[in-house]
């Protein structure tokens, strides 16, 4: 495993992390990296039990601690039950990685209300419900200075599309734009209580959500036109950033959105135009 264990810095050992949507893709990568770094990990899933179990097995097989918990992040009752089960198992929650997200793509004029509501419900309302539950648990538990300088850490997995408009995906872009100002607003509100809040904004990462964009050489070549660094990212690229943001190594980083995108947000179309 690849986590960096710099003494006193990039450490999450003994802390408990809930990673929503971690049965596959970026969430699975983050869960594994946090587990390898010594955190107790709750592998949340909505439907993919086998995927979640495989992530749990990988963490426990490497000597870590993890459990799978089924919860729909868009259900207040499910989120409450997930936090309760986590506290029952591990005593508290120190880190929330709000990662669960979906795309339901359609041309705008054809987009159904159900496609709109599903994406806003999971990507934005889910972030609200999980972050609120996490903040409540941090406040209930109180400071544990030997574990972290923060009362708790909240990390949203957003997207470059929190700022880059995306035709054909307006529900998704609207949800991620919402996550950005939601993150910054709660960072402003919760900072005085030492709750540290940030986002990671991934670019194109090889996961099931965008498989069609990278799984043939032709598709990948087209995608790379949008990536100045000329490689498509892997979940571990995001996972390493998440471990850093969850640890005291980033203790003065608060209310920011960290682009991990190989330069996708640099307006690559202007490299030879404009
Ligand atoms: C989307 C992917 C897309 C990437 C870059 C992500 O947020 O989920 O489908 O490839 O942004 O456009």
């Amino acid at each position: 495993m690849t986590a960096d264990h710099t003494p006193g810095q990039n450490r999450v050992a003994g802390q408990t992390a809930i990673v929503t949507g971690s049965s596959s893709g970026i969430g699975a990568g983050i869960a594994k990296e946090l587990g390898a770094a010594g955190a107790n990990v709750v592998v949340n899933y909505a439907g993919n039990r086998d995927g979640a179990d495989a992530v749990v097995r990988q963490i426990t097989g490497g000597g870590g601690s993890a459990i799978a918990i089924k919860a729909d992040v868009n259900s207040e009752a499910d989120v409450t039950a997930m936090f309760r089960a986590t506290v029952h198992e591990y005593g508290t929650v120190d880190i929330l990685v709000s990662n669960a997200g979906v795309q339901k793509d359609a041309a705008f004029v054809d987009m159904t209300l159900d496609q709109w509501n599903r994406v806003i419900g999971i990507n934005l309302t889910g972030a609200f419900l999980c972050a609120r539950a996490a903040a409540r648990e941090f406040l209930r538990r109180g400071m544990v200075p030997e574990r972290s300088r923060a009362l708790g850490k909240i990390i949203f997995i957003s997207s470059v599309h929190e700022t880059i408009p995306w035709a054909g995906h307006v529900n998704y872009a609207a949800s991620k734009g919402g996550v950005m100002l939601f993150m910054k607003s709660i960072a402003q509100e919760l900072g005085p209580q030492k709750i540290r809040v940030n986002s990671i904004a991934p670019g194109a990462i090889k996961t099931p959500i965008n498989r069609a964009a990278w799984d043939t050489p032709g598709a990948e070549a087209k995608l790379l036109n949008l990536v100045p660094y000329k490689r498509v990212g892997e979940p571990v690229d995001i996972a390493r950033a998440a471990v850093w943001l969850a640890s005291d190594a980033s203790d003065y980083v608060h209310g920011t959105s960290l682009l991990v995108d190989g330069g996708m947000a640099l307006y690559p179309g202007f490299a030879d135009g404009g």
Side-chain angles (χ1 to χ4, degrees), residues 103 159-161 166 172 203-204 209-210 264:
Q103 284 182 221
S159 167
V160 288
H161 298 295
W166 206 14
Y172 186 84
I209 207 172
N210 60 354
M264 187 176 241

Side-chain angles (χ1 to χ4, degrees), residues 72-84:
D72 172 357
V73 296
N74 191 24
S75 156
E76 189 170 26
D78 278 18
V79 170
T80 302
M82 173 167 67
F83 275 78
R84 195 170 294 141

Side-chain angles (χ1 to χ4, degrees), residues 26 34 73 103 144 192 234 240 243:
I26 289 174
L34 282 169
V73 296
Q103 284 182 221
V144 186
E234 304 281 349
R240 289 178 182 144
V243 172

Side-chain angles (χ1 to χ4, degrees), residues 15-187:
Q15 299 187 48
T16 296
I18 294 179
V19 185
T20 68
S22 52
S23 56
S24 71
I26 289 174
I30 293 171
K32 290 185 231 171
E33 198 73 3
L34 282 169
N40 308 312
V41 183
V42 171
V43 178
N44 160 252
Y45 67 101
N48 181 6
R49 162 118 231 178
D50 291 349
D53 286 344
V55 173
V56 167
R57 274 198 305 276
Q58 209 169 323
I59 294 170
T60 55
S65 180
I67 54 171
I69 298 184
K70 180 179 167 76
D72 172 357
V73 296
N74 191 24
S75 156
E76 189 170 26
D78 278 18
V79 170
T80 302
M82 173 167 67
F83 275 78
R84 195 170 294 141
T86 304
V87 171
H88 181 75
E89 181 73 21
Y90 290 124
T92 189
V93 180
D94 303 282
I95 299 157
L96 167 70
V97 182
S98 174
N99 164 82
V102 293
Q103 284 182 221
K104 300 281 172 204
D105 308 328
F108 177 56
V109 292
D110 298 328
M111 187 171 285
T112 64
L113 180 59
D114 187 57
Q115 288 171 321
W116 174 266
N117 282 339
R118 286 288 295 158
V119 170
I120 299 295
I122 294 170
N123 299 10
L124 186 54
T125 307
F128 159 68
L129 289 172
C130 292
R132 190 185 60 175
R136 287 175 175 171
E137 171 55 22
F138 301 159
L139 292 165
R140 180 201 69 78
R141 183 234 312 132
M143 208 63 173
V144 186
E146 58 275 21
R147 223 160 43 218
S148 177
R149 295 180 73 180
L151 186 70
K153 282 83 56 162
I154 298 174
I155 300 162
F156 297 103
I157 305 305
S158 175
S159 167
V160 288
H161 298 295
E162 67 178 26
T163 53
I164 300 179
W166 206 14
H169 311 260
V170 303
N171 46 359
Y172 186 84
S175 75
K176 296 299 186 179
V179 165
M180 182 179 67
L181 268 184
F182 171 59
M183 179 277 287
K184 289 181 191 245
S185 298
I186 66 170

